[in-house]
Amino acid sequence: MNIVEVFEQDGQIEGSVWLARAEHVHRQLRPHLPADYASKMARVLKDARIALAVKDDEVLGLAVYRWHENTFDGLKFYIDDLVTDEMHRSDGIGHALIEHLEEVARKLGANGLVLDSGTQRTQAHKFYFREGFVIPAFNFKKSFS
């Protein structure tokens, strides 16, 4: 298995072929993504990257991530989405993606990884705990009608 990076550079998506191959896996986590997936991801990739776990030209999992500096964390390395294809769960793909993200974060100077996970995703939470994540705070959200 290899990790392939997809990102925006000079107004172009590097790895756009891979992005198209990843859509079906991404929709397993985010089924509400718009029909025009490519345009949505082009906007997201202006400030983020995608790491894809790939084997034999098949996307097995993906992580959308970004980083920024703030007053609390210093350099905050944030994982927007982390998903493994449902046919390949428990095959070490999520672990491989986390290892890759840790390496990227360390090189950037971040002191850890951060992500949010819906309270209903209890199986994902078990995975995150096994990977060494803890719950240091509550996340509050106020929606506008």
Side-chain angles (χ1 to χ4, degrees):
M1 177 175 46
N2 296 316
I3 304 295
V4 174
E5 290 280 344
V6 178
F7 53 93
E8 188 268 344
Q9 183 171 311
D10 300 325
Q12 299 293 317
I13 303 294
E14 298 291 326
S16 59
V17 171
W18 286 111
L19 186 61
R21 292 179 186 170
E23 181 178 355
H24 78 283
V25 176
H26 203 176
R27 287 187 182 282
Q28 291 175 26
L29 177 65
R30 306 278 185 229
H32 64 277
L33 286 167
D36 189 358
Y37 178 78
S39 291
K40 171 67 172 180
M41 294 314 296
R43 291 189 304 275
V44 169
L45 291 175
K46 288 181 190 262
D47 297 313
R49 291 181 168 223
I50 300 178
L52 305 174
V54 175
K55 184 176 181 183
D56 300 326
D57 291 335
E58 180 184 5
V59 175
L60 306 177
L62 67 86
V64 178
Y65 67 94
R66 65 188 70 234
W67 60 90
H68 67 275
E69 191 154 354
N70 66 21
T71 58
F72 177 72
D73 293 309
L75 187 69
K76 182 175 185 172
F77 192 95
Y78 184 78
I79 303 168
D80 293 14
D81 297 335
L82 179 68
V83 60
T84 298
D85 186 291
E86 58 195 14
M87 301 301 294
H88 297 282
R89 299 222 170 112
S90 298
D91 288 347
I93 295 156
H95 176 76
L97 285 165
I98 293 291
E99 280 187 330
H100 174 77
L101 297 176
E102 286 178 1
E103 183 179 324
V104 173
R106 287 179 199 277
K107 285 180 181 175
L108 290 168
N111 61 9
L113 306 176
V114 178
L115 59 81
D116 292 318
S117 182
T119 57
Q120 79 284 2
R121 300 193 67 233
T122 55
Q123 292 298 358
H125 302 163
K126 290 177 186 177
F127 167 75
Y128 297 136
F129 287 134
R130 281 195 313 271
E131 290 295 316
F133 286 80
V134 297
I135 303 172
F138 290 105
N139 176 296
F140 292 90
K141 178 179 181 179
K142 180 177 181 180
S143 298
F144 302 120
S145 307

